[in-house]
Amino acid sequence: SMKNKDLLRSKAFVDGKWTDAHSGKTYDIKNPADDSVITSVPDMDEEDVKEAIEIADREFPKWSSMLAKDRSEILDKWYRLLMDNQEDLAVLMTMEMGKPLKESMGEVAYGASFIQWFSEEAKRVYGDVVPNHAQGKRIVVIKQPVGVTGIITPWNFPLAMITRKVGPALAAGCTVVIKPAQDTPLSALAAAYLAQKAGLPPGVLNIVTSNSASEIGKELTTNKLVKKISFTGSTKVGKMLMEQSASTVKKISLELGGNAPFVVFEDADIEAAAEGAIACKFRNAGQTCVCANRILVHDKVYDQFVEKFSEKVKKLKVGNGLDSGVDIGPLINDSAVEKVSELVEDALQKGAKLVVGSNKPEGRFFDPMVLTDVNDEMEMFSKEIFGPVAPVYRFSSDEEAIELSNKTKFGLASYFYSRDIGRIWKVAESLQYGMVGINEGLISTEVAPFGGVKESGMGREGSKYGIDEYLNIKYMLMGG
Ligand code: NAP
């Protein structure tokens, strides 16, 4: 049901050309809802990515010396084309990834917003003049693009994870080589097709499709021509890429896993908290890095919250993301289904109660679950669930809520509900997280800095801070 069939691409995109792998190998892209084959794409290897890096390096001097205003205009045009094709891009996204169509529509708008935002920021890369430290000297600080940037992204937001990096990189004047997730390269390729239509010069943005991530990752992280690595994905792979990048001391941005607490204090608006928890927990079938992973509720309002929340969970409709009215689609693949099932099984064996839903998936579809009587000894307390499962923990003091919230190696998003202004400040400052939603379950926007602390990564995406990840500071001292 795509109007513009040209958006479905079956080749990689290198040097402005639609390209096969040198080896001629391809692999299939399947719809996770029913395993139907959508198309196939090149299965590229080290040789292919090396070539893409050399092309990006060749184009860097031209792209980075172009007037910021001209780069800005191309990005703005690209943003408009993404929005003009919102419906088609959403259908493509649901086909390759499974999320409900309304969420895909939202992601296209969200993803495109980063291209718009950074088309504006491109013109605002200011330097400084620093008051001199000695007579006759002048100090000037300028910012320059880092250079060729290697980008590796996950499957859960097939478009937005790419635009959040590509927007600031291109705005800053960097050229890029992207390896999208092997399951979801089609949104990335469609976006590249529109970037080309917007007038992006050949070789500035290159997409290498492959199902041998480690081979591509190794080349991107060790090739001397690559000056920056920007990665979103698991903490395990992030650590590995960081280690590999050490050999050439690349600048790095990492957006890694999360283990978000969602805390409901006794003075919270329980209805609002239950509503917020639904949005925060079940978006993308629970497969987001900022999803509520642990819902912590004060003893006094525990039963009331569980009741209201459960009522709402029961109303969520499960099905193929392309069907209307669906709230929860399939999980991305069989191993994801297995992982979620095991975490729930572990909790049930340790005494948790399943009050809504079922741990018996139909294919890759789960009925959303609510678990009570959970505790911090269960595996799901410390691991990312990445599925439609909501464990509700109990606490009885602010101190305990904060301690439980911070009892994790992760530090990405956190949320809490309270009406007490003193408590709000204290808790917000005590949470060891990069982001805090206060009386809000959804926090992502292009205007605010997104990112984590601890083992959730480093660097920020979006906002006025996001472009700094792609810039180096140069200080010039001028004598008399
Ligand atoms: P993943 O396994 O780390 O994969 C992410 C990307 O890394 C994919 O492109 C993958 O390629 C690639 N990759 C895998 N092994 C690699 C290797 N050895 N060398 C180089 N690249 C490699 O993560 P995932 O399970 O797909 O994604 C979910 C994770 O992403 C969760 O932990 C989630 O929290 C995190 N996430 C974080 C954010 C954030 O902003 N902090 C946003 C979204 C998701 P293949 O697809 O080919 O395996």
Side-chain angles (χ1 to χ4, degrees):
S1 58
M2 285 167 64
K3 281 188 242 89
N4 183 356
K5 300 273 186 268
D6 286 344
L7 289 169
L8 176 59
R9 313 303 301 179
S10 301
K11 300 211 175 196
F13 185 67
V14 178
D15 205 5
K17 300 182 196 83
W18 297 96
T19 317
D20 293 312
H22 279 113
S23 66
K25 281 194 211 161
T26 62
Y27 71 97
D28 287 343
I29 304 299
K30 293 180 184 167
N31 183 333
D34 56 14
D35 273 341
S36 58
V37 175
I38 306 166
T39 186
S40 61
V41 296
D43 179 12
M44 292 184 140
D45 60 19
E46 189 189 320
E47 191 189 344
D48 297 295
V49 72
K50 223 179 222 158
E51 195 181 316
I53 292 168
E54 280 157 17
I55 287 160
D57 183 60
R58 184 197 72 202
E59 290 308 310
F60 175 65
K62 272 182 267 172
W63 178 247
S64 56
S65 59
M66 195 185 253
L67 285 181
K69 185 175 189 300
D70 295 336
R71 284 201 303 270
S72 166
E73 272 170 19
I74 294 171
L75 288 174
D76 184 58
K77 210 162 174 190
W78 186 18
Y79 159 72
R80 283 169 209 290
L81 286 173
L82 289 165
M83 289 311 292
D84 289 348
N85 290 276
Q86 186 181 14
E87 276 176 38
D88 278 351
L89 291 170
V91 169
L92 190 62
M93 189 183 294
T94 294
M95 286 200 304
E96 70 172 337
M97 194 267 147
K99 68 174 68 179
L101 201 54
K102 60 187 175 192
E103 288 191 26
S104 295
M105 288 289 285
E107 184 182 336
V108 175
Y110 173 68
S113 74
F114 287 89
I115 304 298
Q116 183 186 39
W117 174 266
F118 286 106
S119 76
E120 295 155 356
E121 289 298 288
K123 295 177 284 187
R124 291 175 196 134
V125 179
Y126 298 112
D128 280 310
V129 178
V130 178
N132 49 327
H133 65 302
Q135 292 299 346
K137 319 240 188 254
R138 300 287 183 276
I139 296 174
V140 176
V141 175
I142 63 168
K143 291 181 181 174
Q144 294 181 306
V146 173
V148 175
T149 298
I151 292 175
I152 302 178
T153 53
W155 48 265
N156 60 348
F157 290 92
L159 181 68
M161 294 303 108
I162 288 176
T163 57
R164 289 211 306 202
K165 300 177 186 306
V166 170
L170 298 188
C174 298
T175 54
V176 301
V177 177
I178 306 165
K179 191 214 82 71
Q182 60 172 289
D183 290 332
T184 59
L186 302 180
S187 297
L189 294 171
Y193 172 79
L194 295 173
Q196 191 177 32
K197 291 264 177 250
L200 195 71
V204 170
L205 180 159
N206 305 280
I207 300 184
V208 172
T209 55
S210 174
N211 68 4
S212 27
S214 57
E215 197 177 330
I216 305 295
K218 190 77 195 278
E219 187 58 34
L220 283 173
T221 48
T222 55
N223 191 310
K224 286 198 177 77
L225 298 177
V226 178
K227 300 296 186 295
K228 156 97 194 177
I229 289 290
S230 183
F231 171 74
T232 296
S234 61
T235 295
K236 182 172 143 238
V237 173
K239 284 181 184 176
M240 218 168 69
L241 296 177
M242 197 174 174
E243 224 169 280
Q244 288 171 191
S245 299
S247 65
T248 49
V249 195
K250 297 192 197 311
K251 195 172 162 95
I252 324 178
S253 300
L254 301 171
E255 298 280 351
L256 310 176
N259 182 4
F262 184 103
V263 186
V264 183
F265 288 97
E266 70 267 39
D267 66 325
D269 175 338
I270 303 297
E271 174 60 29
E275 198 58 48
I278 293 283
C280 187
K281 174 71 244 182
F282 294 107
R283 196 162 58 105
N284 211 2
Q287 304 172 108
T288 91
C289 52
V290 293
C291 269
N293 205 55
R294 296 170 294 152
I295 300 177
L296 308 165
V297 183
H298 193 278
D299 209 25
K300 280 191 195 145
V301 292
Y302 188 90
D303 293 339
Q304 193 191 346
F305 175 85
V306 168
E307 195 190 319
K308 272 194 197 294
F309 179 60
S310 297
E311 268 167 34
K312 293 180 195 293
V313 175
K314 282 180 199 152
K315 288 191 189 130
L316 295 172
K317 190 173 158 200
V318 181
N320 187 319
L322 290 172
D323 296 339
S324 70
V326 165
D327 301 299
I328 298 199
L331 295 195
I332 185 72
N333 54 37
D334 293 335
S335 67
V337 172
E338 215 169 287
K339 199 190 105 192
V340 170
S341 237
E342 280 170 15
L343 286 175
V344 175
E345 192 48 42
D346 167 79
L348 292 175
Q349 271 178 18
K350 292 177 181 160
K353 286 204 186 81
L354 186 59
V355 295
V356 180
S358 150
N359 195 24
K360 295 194 179 64
E362 271 185 45
R364 300 194 184 111
F365 297 87
F366 274 107
D367 268 338
M369 287 172 255
V370 178
L371 291 166
T372 60
D373 294 24
V374 281
N375 62 49
D376 59 0
E377 291 193 347
M378 297 170 180
E379 275 192 54
M380 62 171 63
F381 184 88
S382 47
K383 291 198 172 140
E384 263 188 314
I385 302 173
F386 249 58
V389 180
V392 190
Y393 302 82
R394 245 178 230 276
F395 68 87
S396 50
S397 69
D398 286 16
E399 290 65 33
E400 193 189 359
I402 292 167
E403 196 202 316
L404 282 172
S405 293
N406 290 337
K407 202 173 168 186
T408 167
K409 65 180 184 179
F410 295 108
L412 193 59
S414 56
Y415 309 84
F416 71 91
Y417 278 67
S418 167
R419 313 287 330 157
D420 180 309
I421 190 69
R423 173 180 278 149
I424 286 174
W425 273 106
K426 192 175 130 218
V427 174
E429 288 174 352
S430 307
L431 288 170
Q432 295 161 359
Y433 287 84
M435 298 175 281
V436 187
I438 303 160
N439 297 321
E440 280 296 335
L442 297 175
I443 53 174
S444 297
T445 157
E446 79 280 13
V447 309
F450 187 105
V453 298
K454 292 162 77 177
E455 292 190 22
S456 287
M458 56 183 73
R460 292 295 178 266
E461 294 191 329
S463 82
K464 68 169 180 170
Y465 306 103
I467 201 163
D468 289 339
E469 305 287 323
Y470 300 89
L471 294 165
N472 284 327
I473 286 176
K474 182 182 280 175
Y475 140 60
M476 297 182 281
L477 177 70
M478 289 177 219

